[in-house]
Amino acid sequence: MKRMKILAYPYSVWMAIFIVVPILLVLLYSLTEGDIRNLAELRFSTQSYERVLEPIYLKVIVNSFILATLSTLFCLLLGYPVAMIVARSNPKVRGMLLMFLIVPMWMNFLLRTYAWMSILSPNGFLNRLMDLLGLPRLEIMPGKTAVLLGMIYNFLPFMILPIYTVLSKIDKQFLEAANDLGANNMRTFFKIILPLSIPGVVSGITMVFLPAVSTFVISGLLGGGKTPLIGDLIEHQFMWEGNWHFGSSLSIILMVMILISMAIMSRIDRNGQQEKNGQSKV
Amino acid sequence: MKKTAVRIYMGLIFLFLYAPIIVLIVFSFNKTKSRGQWAGFTLDWYAELFKDRLITEALYYTVIIAILATLISTIVGTISAIGIHYMKGFSKNLLLNVNNIPVLNPDIVTGVALMTLFLSAGLRLGFVTMLIAHVLFCIPYVILAVLPKLRQLNKHTAEAAMDLGATPSYALRKVILPEIRPGIISGALMAFTMSIDDFVISFFTTGNEVSNLSILIYSMAKRGVKPTINALSTLMFVTVVILLLIINKRSEKGEELLL
């Protein structure tokens, strides 16, 4: 049976070529300057990292971080109650509710964002509705609010589903025990439900924050170039400017940002687990 | 009282989730190009959809790439998962961690990294590079779906088969494969949906001549409004819903399959 492991060798070679080498290339380009078409003539330089620190680019990075954090927060605030309601509904209704939550995700991501364009654009559906009601027009697209809305819309199910999964597995007896011991609903929620649901919350936050911080589609379509995010910068450098050095250093910075936030999240998760174990021992 | 509050909240959430979809569908039957006004019912945009070379071509590439990527990644992924399963220690951990990189890395980084590789190697971006990219991001999902099934496998059955005279490849086909089939199927389904829905990685790894539907929608949306997109999205949405209903009807585990 040991010989079976040779089955993984071809894939190891494939991974080396198509996963490891590309990332090393990006790292190489981020740390050099010179003609990108001639690998031999690249010279070491921190120039493109220094460029990232220029105020306009720094502002873009900070903006992406803020927007991604805000959208994660809104998804959590909106999604947690939904997950709880679904987890508590009776099994027949639950299946239906879950399906209705998932169906929009099966529609192409671009189309969903495009749909918001037709609702939010200056002459779009929303403003016609406002006209009809005699209310003042809203000018949110193109702009930050529209980008934020697009992010919340696209990523909300990523928050709801992992929290739901964890909540539905909580032993009902815990809740009954808390009730018997005289805890009110509030107390049961903060002392039992919330701590037990932390793993779901953590994976929900990761699943929303990750695509939100790296998107360029949502900001490109709903932000109208007014609120560029780090993703837009990377796309612009690779597709339009042809400046692979700057684009690569931005990509490396994005990767580092995500690695750091994932490390923080997994630490929170681990602390939560330990606490839970500690409590159960008591 | 509390029940009403819950109902209203869920109603609002579903309104939020479905409003854009309803707007798209309604305006796909709208006579004017304007987005806010209703000017009467028409099926013109649907007719135009099928006449549009760009759209039919993009649809063709989307489906062909998804089928090929699913086939290749399911076969390679299953074989590799078996190999990885029988590895031990450092090399196993290393392979698993590298395998996770495309899953965890933001799509845009995977996309530009592949683009730099292809262009540095002097390849022309197009069908082949896009297919390689799709296979690349599909295989990890197949492996992640198959590995748990391999772990549940009883170690001794394959050994017993070989003690009874089966060759390793016979044991693999007759004992291991049937046991891990559910994992392979869910891996393949995952690969197919990932491929058919991908935009970012395709965007960076394809050239001017080959676009999939996502890329086409993106460029159309950027250039301006075209009600043909509404018609296209309505058709795609209805197809998905019908497929879902069929899957749900056919298997009691529909819920599991969707997740």
Side-chain angles (χ1 to χ4, degrees):
Chain A
M1 278 282 119
K2 272 209 174 129
R3 273 195 308 160
M4 288 284 199
K5 71 181 182 194
I6 58 167
L7 292 177
Y9 291 173
Y11 183 53
S12 313
V13 178
W14 161 277
M15 285 201 291
I17 299 172
F18 292 109
I19 298 178
V20 179
V21 172
I23 289 177
L24 291 179
L25 270 177
V26 170
L27 192 64
L28 174 76
Y29 283 119
S30 78
L31 283 167
T32 51
E33 57 176 352
D35 185 8
I36 47 170
R37 265 161 270 283
N38 198 339
L39 279 177
E41 284 202 2
L42 294 176
R43 292 174 308 277
F44 173 79
S45 155
T46 54
Q47 196 187 320
S48 46
Y49 284 103
E50 279 158 32
R51 203 172 153 200
V52 174
L53 293 175
E54 283 173 23
I56 29 166
Y57 300 120
L58 215 55
K59 204 181 138 202
V60 171
I61 295 175
V62 172
N63 257 340
S64 327
F65 190 80
I66 292 175
L67 271 177
T69 311
L70 274 179
S71 63
T72 312
L73 205 69
F74 275 112
C75 283
L76 182 61
L77 290 178
L78 288 172
Y80 201 103
V82 177
M84 256 179 89
I85 291 168
V86 176
R88 283 184 176 185
S89 54
N90 71 52
K92 262 195 179 161
V93 181
R94 192 190 296 171
M96 282 271 287
L97 288 176
L98 273 179
M99 200 178 90
F100 279 120
L101 284 174
I102 295 163
V103 163
M105 282 213 298
W106 280 70
M107 189 171 203
N108 187 297
F109 169 72
L110 277 278
L111 288 178
R112 280 180 278 152
T113 311
Y114 170 75
W116 277 106
M117 281 176 83
S118 43
I119 293 180
L120 298 177
S121 72
N123 283 317
F125 188 73
L126 185 68
N127 274 333
R128 302 271 172 182
L129 200 72
M130 297 303 267
D131 284 352
L132 222 66
L133 298 172
L135 294 166
R137 292 189 152 210
L138 296 170
E139 279 166 32
I140 50 179
M141 195 203 118
K144 264 187 202 163
T145 322
V147 176
L148 186 62
L149 196 79
M151 284 179 176
I152 298 169
Y153 180 76
N154 275 302
F155 306 134
L156 183 60
F158 295 153
M159 183 65 84
I160 297 175
L161 294 174
I163 299 179
Y164 159 76
T165 311
V166 176
L167 285 179
S168 64
K169 282 184 189 141
I170 292 180
D171 195 336
K172 291 260 157 49
Q173 289 179 338
F174 285 158
L175 310 183
E176 282 161 21
N179 226 334
D180 290 346
L181 294 169
N184 58 15
N185 282 346
M186 257 324 221
R187 216 178 140 99
T188 314
F189 177 76
F190 283 109
K191 289 281 171 190
I192 298 182
I193 300 178
L194 191 62
L196 283 176
S197 66
I198 290 297
V201 173
V202 166
S203 64
I205 289 178
T206 324
M207 281 172 76
V208 173
F209 184 79
L210 224 121
V213 79
S214 61
T215 185
F216 70 95
V217 178
I218 298 177
S219 47
L221 294 181
L222 294 172
K226 266 191 182 169
T227 42
L229 303 183
I230 188 166
D232 299 88
L233 268 187
I234 296 174
E235 184 239 6
H236 195 73
Q237 294 305 320
F238 276 97
M239 301 302 274
W240 306 103
E241 298 278 324
N243 189 342
W244 289 12
H245 302 294
F246 187 41
S248 297
S249 51
L250 287 166
S251 312
I252 296 287
I253 285 171
L254 179 62
M255 273 172 76
V256 171
M257 259 164 83
I258 284 173
L259 278 178
I260 293 173
S261 35
M262 274 170 39
I264 295 172
M265 291 322 287
S266 77
R267 168 153 297 177
I268 293 174
D269 198 13
R270 212 172 308 137
N271 284 346
Q273 303 282 12
Q274 275 164 5
E275 234 169 71
K276 212 164 70 188
N277 293 342
Q279 269 172 6
S280 60
K281 264 172 217 152
V282 175
Chain B
M1 179 62 207
K2 207 180 148 200
K3 227 175 181 177
T4 348
V6 163
R7 288 226 171 110
I8 291 173
Y9 185 69
M10 287 307 272
L12 286 175
I13 291 285
F14 280 122
L15 181 70
F16 177 57
L17 289 177
Y18 282 86
I21 296 172
I22 293 165
V23 169
L24 273 188
I25 293 176
V26 169
F27 281 92
S28 73
F29 299 108
N30 191 4
K31 251 191 191 133
T32 74
K33 272 193 169 189
S34 155
R35 280 191 275 203
Q37 239 157 1
W38 180 256
F41 182 87
T42 179
L43 285 173
D44 288 356
W45 307 118
Y46 288 87
E48 211 166 287
L49 189 64
F50 291 101
K51 274 187 252 156
D52 194 326
R53 276 277 312 274
L54 280 176
I55 292 177
T56 44
E57 229 176 72
L59 182 68
Y60 165 80
Y61 282 126
T62 309
V63 173
I64 285 287
I65 294 247
I67 290 173
L68 286 176
T70 306
L71 271 176
I72 298 171
S73 62
T74 306
I75 294 167
V76 176
T78 306
I79 292 171
S80 312
I82 295 170
I84 292 172
H85 178 70
Y86 287 103
M87 284 181 138
K88 278 201 182 80
F90 177 75
S91 48
K92 181 175 185 171
N93 275 330
L94 181 71
L95 285 195
L96 281 176
N97 280 324
V98 179
N99 181 56
N100 271 336
I101 291 178
V103 181
L104 297 175
N105 228 354
D107 281 355
I108 189 169
V109 176
T110 308
V112 296
L114 279 171
M115 179 183 153
T116 53
L117 174 78
F118 292 142
L119 291 178
S120 301
L123 290 172
R124 251 175 73 102
L125 295 182
F127 186 84
V128 178
T129 49
M130 189 163 138
L131 181 62
I132 292 177
H134 278 234
V135 172
L136 174 94
F137 70 73
C138 287
I139 292 179
Y141 290 97
V142 177
I143 291 184
L144 291 177
V146 173
L147 271 180
K149 291 284 158 206
L150 282 165
R151 267 184 231 121
Q152 288 168 10
L153 202 70
N154 186 337
K155 270 202 289 213
H156 306 297
T157 42
E159 275 163 25
M162 280 189 285
D163 284 346
L164 293 169
T167 62
S169 81
Y170 190 81
L172 190 68
R173 272 184 291 124
K174 291 288 169 183
V175 180
I176 297 181
L177 277 186
E179 286 283 318
I180 60 173
R181 183 170 293 143
I184 299 175
I185 291 172
S186 62
L189 273 173
M190 201 114 94
F192 188 77
T193 44
M194 297 298 289
S195 169
I196 218 153
D197 218 34
D198 178 67
F199 166 69
V200 177
I201 296 175
S202 313
F203 181 71
F204 286 105
T205 51
T206 187
N208 287 329
E209 298 101 48
V210 181
S211 304
N212 63 10
L213 276 177
S214 298
I215 295 174
L216 186 72
I217 294 164
Y218 182 70
S219 61
M220 280 166 103
K222 274 217 134 171
R223 259 185 278 131
V225 205
K226 248 190 148 186
T228 37
I229 311 184
N230 293 356
L232 178 68
S233 36
T234 305
L235 283 182
M236 284 168 75
F237 184 69
V238 171
T239 318
V240 166
V241 170
I242 291 172
L243 275 176
L244 276 182
L245 288 178
I246 294 172
I247 293 172
N248 258 336
K249 269 259 158 66
R250 292 194 69 179
S251 74
E252 302 245 342
K253 285 182 190 162
E255 191 183 301
E256 228 169 82
L257 212 66
L258 289 177
L259 294 171

